Amino acid sequence: MPLRFVRHSEVDVLIIGAGPAGLMCANALANARVNVRIVDQKAFKITTGSGDGISPRTIEVLQSYGLAERLLKECNQIHLAAFYNPSSTGGIELTNRTPNVTASSARYPFEGTLDQGVIQDIFLDSMASLGVEVERSTIPTSIELSKDEDELKDPTSYPVRVALQRLDKSKDEQEEIVHAKFVLGGDGAHSWVRKQFGITMDGEQSDSIWGVVDFVPDTDFPDIRNKCLAQSNHGSLFVIPREKDYVRLYVQLEDKDVIDPATGRVDKDRMGPEQILETAQKLLEPYKLVQKSDFLWWTIYSVGQRVASKFSIKDRVFIAGDACHTHTPKAGQGMNASINDTHNLAWKIALAVRGWADMSLLSTVYESERRKFALELIAFDKKWSTLVCGQPLTEENSDGVSPEHLMKTFQTDFTSGIGIHYHPSLAVNDRYQELAGGLVLGKRVPPYKFMRAADARPFELQDLLPSDFCFKLLVFTGEFNDPLQQTRVESMVVDMQKRESFLNRHTTPGNSPFDIITISKGRKDKFNILRLPTLLRSHWSKVFVDDTDPAGSFGGEGYSYYGVGSEGALVVVRPDGYVGAIAPLDHVKVIDSYFASFMKIPA
């Protein structure tokens, strides 16, 4: 009997799981021209259900990849949040309305809602334009990681061996052995990748059980098109307006209605969408709520609030998204956390694959940054869930949750994603924060508009920081027309161009890991771009002035907004849009040392 032929292949990155984390990573790596493959067990992409909320920070991230325009065109925007509590006459009554997003620096001061299937289509279409498509009906059957330390430390090696099985092929075509430099497990809460390496999920099961229904309602409830939390004497309910006329309801259920007494587990056969809607109708009294369309999607869930004990194995296998943290949907962070996990990881893998970064960048920074965030997310989720599921404050229940306590907890930068703050590490320095107080080390660069010096066209600074896998060196020159400041700037350029400078040795045109953007103080009608040293004007489009737009309607306060003084500053922005380092103009060595700690310096 002839031996069956098994195909072997090599790939830079193999991604297992085509959910938000996997698709985000695949699209990011494809943009970086990294050889990437992504496989998924499902035969077809999802079309309904699952996550639907996109936070302000996630919209900023999508904008950095050129994907936000389509999202904003198709999604619903939530600008207002409403809170209802029990009324003295029975039923519920409005207690407060507040902005849904309270982060003052949010470029997009709203939450977007759109079916997860449509959101994933945005990634899928972008990937397809780059020649990458999901290989469906494909499962991993085994994974082996080399134990050779030298091989693991060599970024050009392929130390991960994964056996794949195609479920839609004939027996002779079913199996393939993939040799990968890196593997990402984005394969959900029951992650196969996580289990293969014995990674534990630490935490506990949430006590509450919720039903979810998507449909078009007919109602006299006045806040049906706002995010709403209604706490009645019978339980709690969330209203999430969706695209078109759809609405999603999260409805608190009683254990006796959905728990199988024999197993102690949620049994979806004990309650359907009609019964979930009936419960919602009771919680919303005295308002009417009837079904105007078929149910688009529904489910019942009880989610564990858990975090994986580790997010990576030997800097070669990583897990992201629900594979490494699970929590309730009440904070609207599931899909957002997944997308931002791999936004954080992709640039580090890309730099390692290109040979620009040392493996230490992967070994310390991804897990330390994203696991810290996951732990903070679980802590917030527990606090918020306890308040949401608790009995509201009433005359009969003096120990209940007060509207003021609920509001104070709701109004946080955490749920918007704006408040994410990475602590000092190889990729986040901890010096000279006082030189740019508004550009916080470890936080994302907040938006502000500057005028392009060559043509006075206004530009949003965030749009000058695309996710192109390059560091951006923002050079705040101060008032360059001041002779003393001009001398300081020219001296800084001399330091940058010294042979031993890291910056000088990494400025090969078209093959540099960073880009220089110059921002000067002064008036656009007095500024001469050609007086700048050549290094600071590699292209006419890279020089900006902190002045008002030609109509005088905005701008001109950027230095003040970012807390940069007249002496100027050097600011390193990481490829993911977070501030990595700050230094005075006369301390170029600080920037050199920052890069040298994890980047590879060419000979």
Side-chain angles (χ1 to χ4, degrees), residues 6 148 162 171 181 191 221-223 252 270 317 320-321 346 354 389 403 414 455 495 532 550 554 565 585:
V6 177
D148 185 327
V162 182
K171 190 171 183 179
K181 293 180 180 177
S191 171
F221 182 62
D223 284 293
Q252 189 176 6
R270 297 173 68 90
V317 179
R354 288 180 177 180
C389 298
F414 189 82
D455 56 4
D495 289 342
L532 285 170
F554 58 84
L585 298 186

Side-chain angles (χ1 to χ4, degrees), residues 60 70 132 181 187 246 255 268-269 359 395 400 410 488 517 522 524-525 531 552 567 577 579:
E60 290 179 357
R70 178 174 165 186
V132 178
K181 293 180 180 177
D187 48 345
Y246 283 101
D255 290 4
K268 290 180 67 174
D269 292 334
M359 294 292 286
E395 291 183 2
F410 174 78
R488 292 193 186 105
I517 297 171
K524 55 187 172 293
D525 57 347
R531 292 183 60 197
E567 70 279 7
V579 180

Side-chain angles (χ1 to χ4, degrees), residues 293-368:
S293 73
D294 292 337
F295 292 107
L296 184 66
W297 180 76
W298 73 278
T299 191
I300 296 172
Y301 72 87
S302 175
V303 178
Q305 294 164 316
R306 298 185 173 92
V307 177
S309 56
K310 55 184 177 180
F311 285 18
S312 63
I313 304 93
K314 298 292 186 179
D315 312 330
R316 292 294 189 159
V317 179
F318 304 88
I319 54 176
D322 288 353
C324 55
H325 46 70
T326 60
H327 39 85
T328 74
K330 300 179 192 69
Q333 290 300 297
M335 180 162 48
N336 292 288
S338 296
I339 288 172
N340 282 280
D341 277 349
T342 48
H343 174 57
N344 179 284
L345 176 63
W347 68 270
K348 297 163 185 172
I349 290 180
L351 293 187
V353 169
R354 288 180 177 180
W356 285 352
D358 189 81
M359 294 292 286
S360 60
L361 183 64
L362 290 165
S363 65
T364 60
V365 182
Y366 170 64
E367 180 160 326
S368 67

Side-chain angles (χ1 to χ4, degrees), residues 364-425:
T364 60
V365 182
Y366 170 64
E367 180 160 326
S368 67
E369 291 184 343
R370 294 309 295 176
R371 191 168 187 274
K372 171 183 173 291
F373 165 80
L375 291 169
E376 291 171 348
L377 172 58
I378 296 302
F380 175 83
D381 187 46
K382 287 181 178 180
K383 181 179 180 181
W384 180 238
S385 296
T386 299
L387 294 177
V388 166
C389 298
Q391 288 293 314
L393 179 67
T394 62
E395 291 183 2
E396 295 76 22
N397 182 25
S398 60
D399 294 328
V401 180
S402 71
E404 293 77 18
H405 189 186
L406 200 67
M407 283 287 295
K408 185 178 180 181
T409 305
F410 174 78
Q411 292 177 328
T412 172
D413 287 354
F414 189 82
T415 53
S416 68
I418 303 300
I420 294 174
H421 190 182
Y422 299 137
H423 285 182
S425 67

